């Protein structure tokens, strides 16, 4: 499969602050999610991909070319920034038409194209005559997405595009992105809304402190997680006794007691070996168990695990 | 662009449109955005105020037929003080406003080199600025006409040429200052005091560094101005050439700065 974005030992400093630390990864066609807490380096990476910043060392290519000062390449990229800032005095059609012409769309077709994109992102026609300064957060997100789609990019880079959208809006935008990806557009999307990335993106890049902690297909990351320690929370009649018993059996990496709530949080050393013997161990402890909670293997869990 | 894809995607990803970026098309696109922003309803009162301020003040404060104070309004207050400040405020914000409001990324991610983007932005802004200045100068002349100020018609061509060249030079300088620092207003005012009011009035060749010194030379081609201010019209062509060269020089510097400097949304990078 062809590589759309490739970073090799890419680093970026802001003075003494490190924005990206020696990251290497590949983005394949399709939908890829970029996950990380604030300050992880997501926006820095996105700005390097879209030619707004340069790496301090290492290399990053998009479609085999470096993005900085490369207009031909930029013509193939659509970018939707994180902040909701838009020219507040302009109406969306005027802005989109202007940007469309800068992107090289035919003058005669640019108005129709702008209208089509506003319809595509489901911005109601009744809002088109308003100045964008009067727009809600969700409406601004839609216009931002429309401007990124104006010139029909091969790669769409979206920085937190779901911010401010209501659940229905998120679903609509997700659907648009899925259609675009199905049609051959590569999409890189960053978000804190992990549940949406989980349902939207086949591939994930997890970034924290400027480093890539995990990258690849979601399934691969989940499989990797099988080798990581599992955590269970158990509510029982004697948490101290249970913890001691399990610890003596040599199956725990560690535990935390919460006697007031009757809880013990246990970190299991080898889940593959632990769970077949789990009932026997509980019976041997000779205590009453009221509740067992297991952390699931959702993307949120993966994210919390690798960024903790 | 994408050549394959579903119907839905074809609609979004080009729909068979031919994408051909070009300077003229980019100019038209950016001019549309600049024009709509500059003359937005919210900003119109300020534009109108600036256009009418000096003509109205001059009309109120100068008596009928009193040529000298009216010319002071035109030259000292309007041309050599307020117009440079207006250029500083408008052209300094050319790129800086986009940085401050974090909308620069919408432009720098388009298929246009940064040098072209900067120059096209400048041309768009300067065309609008020249139009506003022309309107203001015409209103000033009308105001003088209503007060029966003599020799205004003879002054008009020289005044408008000086104003046109002055707006270009001050506009280019202001654009450069706006690229260098977010405190371009402060830097511009300091520059004005040091170079325009200071160095420009030193009676040696060093005063060639001052834009206003060359504007004075152009204005001195009018006999009334010559009598009133005792400026010398010698070297008019040289002054015009210097103003043109200064404009070009400031723009080249600005283009180089914009080409190589990274502008980041974070506060640290906006300094």
């Amino acid at each position: 499969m062809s590589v759309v974005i490739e970073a090799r030992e890419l680093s970026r400093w802001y003075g003494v602050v490190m924005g990206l630390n020696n990251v290497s990864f590949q983005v394949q066609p399709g939908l890829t999610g970029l996950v990380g807490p604030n300050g992880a380096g997501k926006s820095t990476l996105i700005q390097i991909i879209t030619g707004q910043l340069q790496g301090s060392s290492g290399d990053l290519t998009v479609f085999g070319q470096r993005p900085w000062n490369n207009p031909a390449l930029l013509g193939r990229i659509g970018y939707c920034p994180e902040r909701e800032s838009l020219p507040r005095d302009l109406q969306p059609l005027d802005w989109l038409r202007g940007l469309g012409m800068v992107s090289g769309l035919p003058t005669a077709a640019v108005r129709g194209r702008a209208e089509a994109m506003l319809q595509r992102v489901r911005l109601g026609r009744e809002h088109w005559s308003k100045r964008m300064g009067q727009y809600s957060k969700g409406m601004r997100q839609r216009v931002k997405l429309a401007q990124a789609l104006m010139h029909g990019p091969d790669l769409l880079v979206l920085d937190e595009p779901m911010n401010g959208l209501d659940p229905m809006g998120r679903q609509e935008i997700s659907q648009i992105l899925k259609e675009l990806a199905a049609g051959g557009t590569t999409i890189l999307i960053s978000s804190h809304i992990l549940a949406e990335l989980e349902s939207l993106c086949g591939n994930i890049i997890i970034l924290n402190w400027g480093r890539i902690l995990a990258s690849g297909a979601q399934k691969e990351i989940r499989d990797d997680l099988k080798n990581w320690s599992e955590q269970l929370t158990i509510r029982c009649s004697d948490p101290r006794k249970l913890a001691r018993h399990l610890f003596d059996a040599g199956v725990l990496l560690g535990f935390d007691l919460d006697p007031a709530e009757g809880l013990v949080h246990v970190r299991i050393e080898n889940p593959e070996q632990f769970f077949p013997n789990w009932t026997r161990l509980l019976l041997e402890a000779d205590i009453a168990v009221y509740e067992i909670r297991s952390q699931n293997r959702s993307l949120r869990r993966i994210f919390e695990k690798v960024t903790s | 662009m994408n050549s394959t894809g579903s119907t839905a995607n074809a609609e979004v990803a080009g729909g068979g449109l031919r994408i051909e970026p070009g300077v003229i098309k980019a100019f038209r696109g950016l001019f549309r955005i600049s024009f709509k922003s500059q003359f937005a309803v919210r900003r119109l009162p300020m534009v109108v105020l600036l256009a009418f301020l000096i003509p109205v003040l001059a009309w109120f404060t100068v008596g009928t037929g009193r040529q000298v104070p009216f010319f002071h309004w035109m030259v000292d207050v309007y041309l050599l003080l307020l117009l440079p400040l207006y250029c500083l405020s408008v052209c300094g914000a050319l790129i800086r406003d986009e940085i401050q409001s974090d909308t620069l990324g919408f432009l720098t991610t388009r298929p246009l080199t940064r040098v072209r983007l900067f120059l096209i932005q400048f041309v768009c802004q300067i065309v609008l600025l020249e139009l506003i200045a022309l309107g203001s100068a015409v209103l000033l002349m009308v105001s003088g006409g209503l007060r029966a100020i003599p020799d205004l018609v003879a002054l008009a061509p020289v005044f408008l040429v000086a104003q046109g060249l002055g707006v270009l030079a001050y506009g280019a300088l202001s654009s450069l200052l706006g690229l260098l620092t977010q405190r371009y207003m402060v830097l511009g005012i300091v520059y004005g005091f040091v170079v325009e009011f200071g160095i420009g009035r030193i009676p040696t060749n060093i005063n060639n560094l001052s834009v206003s010194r060359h504007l004075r030379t152009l204005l001195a081609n009018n006999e009334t101005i010559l009598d009133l201010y005792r400026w010398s019209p010698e070297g008019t062509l040289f002054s015009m050439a210097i103003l043109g060269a200064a404009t070009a020089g400031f723009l080249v510097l600005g283009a180089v700065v914009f080409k190589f400097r990274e502008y980041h949304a974070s506060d640290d990078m906006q300094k």
Side-chain angles (χ1 to χ4, degrees), chain B residues 137-172:
Chain B
V138 167
L139 285 172
L140 199 49
M141 304 263 178
V142 169
S143 160
L146 292 173
R147 285 294 186 197
I149 306 296
D151 300 329
L152 271 180
V153 175
L155 174 65
V158 174
F159 187 84
L160 291 178
V161 168
Q163 174 178 273
L165 292 173
V167 166
L168 280 176
Y170 283 126

Side-chain angles (χ1 to χ4, degrees), chain A residues 12 14 43-44 47 50-55 68-72 74-77 79-83 85-90 93-95 97-107 109 113 116-117 119-120 131 144 147-154 176 179-185, chain B residues 1-6 8-15 17-22 24-30 32-37 40-43 98-115 117 258-270:
Chain A
R12 166 73 203 200
Y14 298 105
S43 290
T44 296
Q47 289 187 320
T50 54
Q52 299 174 77
L53 294 177
Q54 298 181 84
W68 176 259
N69 244 329
N70 187 343
L74 293 178
R76 300 179 66 189
I77 300 174
Y79 168 59
C80 180
E82 179 183 359
R83 292 197 193 176
S85 313
L86 295 174
R88 50 178 303 179
D89 294 314
L90 294 184
L93 270 181
D94 287 324
W95 190 53
R97 287 170 72 184
L99 290 179
M101 288 163 86
V102 176
S103 292
L105 286 168
T107 311
R113 178 77 181 163
M117 289 308 100
Q119 283 169 349
R120 191 80 178 96
R131 291 193 302 278
K144 272 167 43 185
Q147 65 79 32
L149 296 174
M150 272 299 282
H151 54 296
D154 294 328
I176 293 169
E179 286 172 12
L180 283 164
T185 304
Chain B
M1 301 300 112
N2 291 310
S3 55
T4 60
S6 65
N9 194 55
E11 184 194 335
V12 174
L17 295 173
R18 288 188 62 182
I19 311 287
E20 290 174 5
I24 302 293
K25 224 185 269 181
F27 171 78
R28 291 179 62 187
L30 285 176
R32 164 178 283 275
I33 293 173
S34 298
F35 184 85
K36 298 270 182 179
S37 298
V41 176
R42 189 173 63 93
R43 293 192 182 186
E98 305 277 359
I99 300 167
Q100 303 286 84
S101 58
D102 201 17
T103 52
L104 186 63
F106 292 120
L107 299 177
T108 52
T109 53
R110 301 284 152 188
L112 205 60
T113 63
R114 286 177 165 235
V115 169
L117 174 62
F258 191 55
K259 178 175 179 178
F260 291 106
R261 189 170 175 186
E262 295 170 331
Y263 292 93
H264 191 262
S266 75
D267 293 339
D268 288 344
M269 295 292 287
Q270 289 184 17

Side-chain angles (χ1 to χ4, degrees), chain A:
Chain A
M1 197 177 265
S2 60
V3 175
V4 177
I5 303 171
E6 182 167 23
R8 288 179 293 270
E9 297 173 1
L10 178 71
S11 295
R12 166 73 203 200
W13 294 278
Y14 298 105
V16 294
V17 178
M18 187 159 252
L20 284 176
N21 187 358
N22 204 34
V23 300
S24 299
F25 65 90
Q26 290 185 341
V27 171
Q28 315 284 347
L31 267 157
T32 299
L34 184 59
V35 191
N38 285 332
K42 300 190 302 291
S43 290
T44 296
L45 181 58
I46 281 176
Q47 289 187 320
I48 293 174
I49 291 168
T50 54
Q52 299 174 77
L53 294 177
Q54 298 181 84
S56 305
S57 68
D59 197 20
L60 181 137
T61 55
V62 179
F63 298 116
Q65 301 174 53
R66 293 197 178 101
W68 176 259
N69 244 329
N70 187 343
L73 176 62
L74 293 178
R76 300 179 66 189
I77 300 174
Y79 168 59
C80 180
E82 179 183 359
R83 292 197 193 176
E84 291 90 33
S85 313
L86 295 174
R88 50 178 303 179
D89 294 314
L90 294 184
Q91 294 171 348
L93 270 181
D94 287 324
W95 190 53
L96 292 189
R97 287 170 72 184
L99 290 179
M101 288 163 86
V102 176
S103 292
L105 286 168
T107 311
V110 75
R111 185 186 171 92
R113 178 77 181 163
E115 288 182 352
M117 289 308 100
L118 288 178
Q119 283 169 349
R120 191 80 178 96
V121 298
R122 318 263 207 283
L123 183 75
R125 194 175 275 270
E126 67 275 16
H127 301 301
W128 293 7
S129 55
K130 290 180 187 166
R131 291 193 302 278
M132 292 190 285
Q134 300 171 304
Y135 276 13
S136 68
K137 224 173 172 184
M139 289 156 80
R140 275 180 261 163
Q141 289 289 17
R142 288 169 193 265
V143 179
K144 272 167 43 185
L145 181 58
Q147 65 79 32
L149 296 174
M150 272 299 282
H151 54 296
D154 294 328
L155 168 65
L156 198 53
V157 182
L158 311 170
D159 201 352
E160 307 273 1
M162 305 291 191
N163 279 356
L165 290 171
D166 54 37
M168 193 174 284
R170 288 175 184 174
Q171 205 170 5
E172 286 171 358
I173 298 296
S174 297
Q175 187 55 38
I176 293 169
L177 297 181
K178 281 177 186 168
E179 286 172 12
L180 283 164
T185 304
T186 301
I187 300 173
L188 179 66
I189 175 171
S190 85
S191 179
H192 288 103
I193 306 162
L194 300 168
E196 268 151 10
L197 283 191
E198 193 170 23
S199 61
L200 197 60
C201 303
N203 297 305
I204 297 287
I205 298 171
I206 300 177
L207 204 60
N208 195 22
W209 296 106
R211 285 177 175 274
I212 288 185
L213 302 180
S215 75
Q218 268 197 60
K219 188 177 177 305
E220 289 167 16
I221 296 176
R222 283 167 199 275
D223 289 344
D224 283 349
L225 197 69
K226 283 181 183 168
N227 299 320
W228 301 351
S229 67
E230 187 80 18
Q231 184 168 314
L232 293 177
T233 298
I234 305 158
R235 193 159 66 84
C236 59
S237 57
D238 191 345
R240 197 178 298 274
K241 185 180 177 188
L242 176 62
R244 191 183 302 119
H245 179 72
L246 293 176
F247 196 79
D248 289 345
V251 296
L252 296 190
L253 278 175
F255 62 87
D256 297 304
L257 287 169
D258 186 356
E261 298 291 328
L263 293 175
V264 57
H265 309 281
V266 296
R267 291 182 295 284
I268 298 153
E269 188 168 10
N270 188 340
E272 301 288 310
Q273 290 178 6
F274 173 80
F275 284 111
N277 298 314
W278 166 232
T279 24
R280 179 178 56 80
L281 287 165
L282 276 185
L283 287 170
E284 285 172 2
D286 193 25
I287 48 150
V289 176
Y290 308 121
E291 185 184 3
I292 301 170
R293 287 200 301 264
S294 171
Q295 302 286 356
N296 63 31
R297 292 178 189 278
S298 69
L299 185 56
R300 175 178 288 279
R301 178 72 192 121
I302 297 170
F303 177 74
E304 285 167 356
K305 239 178 175 24
V306 296
T307 57
S308 62

